[in-house]
Amino acid sequence: SRKMVISNDVTKLERTDAMRRDFVANVSHELKTPLTVLAGFLETVRELPLADEERMRYLGLMDQQSKRMEHIVSDLLVLAHIEADPKAPGDAPVDIARLMRHLRDEALGLSAERHAISFTIEAGLSVTGAEGELASAFGNLLTNAVRYTPVGGEIHVRWWTEEGGAVFSVSDDGIGIPVEHIPRLTERFYRVDRSRSRDTGGTGLGLAIVKHVLQRHEARLSIRSQVDRGSTFTIHFPPHRSVPARAVDA
Ligand code: ADP
């Protein structure tokens, strides 16, 4: 009935509003924590007579906190930009193998530590869309694979086709994700448990960005994981965005 429809709409509006309020509260909290730590170190450096070496150590810690805030703000900007962009992502072909190789170097550059990352993506295999957005999405998946996999672990990037659509997967043999968390991973600021792994410096925004980018490309993300065994993130592109690999020329 009509009444039903109206009350449904109201509930939806209320829910959106509550989500927005939650989001603002979350952003404030996520920024306040490093800011408080930063202010604490700043006061120490200003108030205490420190040896040069000690002072350098504090400055290093302050640097870490400010980088963390910078990281959060830049992820928020990416998310805001994607959400506010009314244009469809377009249909320029994006060479996924080339993109992935570039992103791998960036992901591995996160630390001096090394992981074995193997690729089975043919050069020339493309999907259509916005290259910058796709780089954010794939970059987040690769960075997570590196972050949540102990050094020496293996990360595989694969592709195949399903019903005419290109499918890509990023899998790792890292710490995995308890099954009850999987449905919530793409929520903003959702993180499984900060203490279970080395401090990864994550923001909890990465998979929210992935989800938005893929939605705009009519693509779908599926997540499979097992604790202590590893995780696989699979992206399904629709056929109209999938361009078959051309003959490899390099
Ligand atoms: P973060 O910045 O914390 O990595 P994300 O949104 O990218 O935020 O991921 C959300 C949470 O999902 C992470 O905090 C982590 O607990 C979990 N996660 C994501 N990718 C992986 C992975 N490859 N292996 C294990 N856990 C993962």
Side-chain angles (χ1 to χ4, degrees):
S1 72
R2 192 169 162 74
K3 200 169 153 219
M4 227 2 235
V5 170
I6 290 171
S7 75
N8 264 343
D9 280 355
V10 170
T11 329
K12 215 190 218 164
L13 270 181
E14 276 169 359
R15 214 181 314 131
T16 314
D17 200 44
M19 273 168 63
R20 197 179 46 79
R21 261 180 285 131
D22 275 2
F23 180 61
V24 172
N26 281 337
V27 171
S28 313
H29 174 78
E30 294 291 328
L31 288 174
K32 187 154 193 257
T33 308
L35 189 57
T36 306
V37 178
L38 184 60
F41 289 142
L42 186 70
E43 191 175 320
T44 308
V45 171
R46 203 176 53 190
E47 303 294 325
L48 295 184
L50 298 172
D52 278 357
E53 205 175 293
E54 192 76 343
R55 191 170 53 239
M56 286 313 283
R57 198 173 68 82
Y58 276 106
L59 290 176
L61 293 168
M62 288 163 68
D63 186 46
Q64 265 175 25
Q65 297 302 321
S66 77
K67 290 225 169 69
R68 170 154 184 78
M69 293 173 68
E70 193 183 307
H71 189 182
I72 294 172
V73 171
S74 83
D75 274 1
L76 282 169
L77 286 174
V78 171
L79 203 54
H81 175 81
I82 294 168
E83 282 182 345
D85 191 352
K87 298 195 305 297
D91 51 14
V94 179
D95 181 336
I96 296 297
R98 225 193 46 209
L99 188 67
M100 287 287 207
R101 273 170 223 288
H102 174 75
L103 294 170
R104 167 185 58 184
D105 297 340
E106 266 180 18
L108 286 179
L110 281 180
S111 63
E113 302 158 346
R114 283 289 175 268
H115 297 71
I117 302 191
S118 79
F119 282 85
T120 57
I121 298 188
E122 290 173 52
L125 177 75
S126 300
V127 299
T128 61
E131 175 149 7
E133 291 182 23
L134 292 172
S136 275
F138 283 116
N140 272 303
L141 294 181
L142 275 183
T143 320
N144 281 348
V146 170
R147 279 210 197 111
Y148 300 108
T149 303
V151 179
E154 283 184 24
I155 295 161
H156 294 279
V157 181
R158 301 187 175 88
W159 83 277
W160 63 95
T161 54
E162 243 171 72
E163 290 163 9
V167 185
F168 298 89
S169 72
V170 177
S171 54
D172 63 63
D173 58 359
I175 62 176
I177 302 159
V179 65
E180 66 273 20
H181 291 280
I182 292 180
R184 300 195 57 192
L185 292 181
T186 59
E187 290 174 20
R188 296 153 169 180
F189 294 117
Y190 193 84
R191 305 193 67 200
V192 173
D193 171 10
R194 286 153 212 255
S195 63
R196 73 194 179 127
S197 59
R198 55 212 160 108
D199 185 32
T200 62
T203 62
L205 292 169
L207 290 175
I209 293 174
V210 172
K211 184 180 123 183
H212 271 277
V213 169
L214 296 185
Q215 259 171 11
R216 281 168 52 77
H217 287 78
E218 300 101 18
R220 182 165 58 79
L221 176 70
S222 65
I223 306 173
R224 288 181 48 202
S225 188
Q226 239 184 313
V227 173
D228 292 335
R229 301 294 287 276
S231 312
T232 299
F233 291 76
T234 309
I235 299 174
H236 299 252
F237 281 91
H240 71 271
R241 288 205 172 275
S242 310
V243 184
R246 54 175 162 69
V248 180
D249 46 32

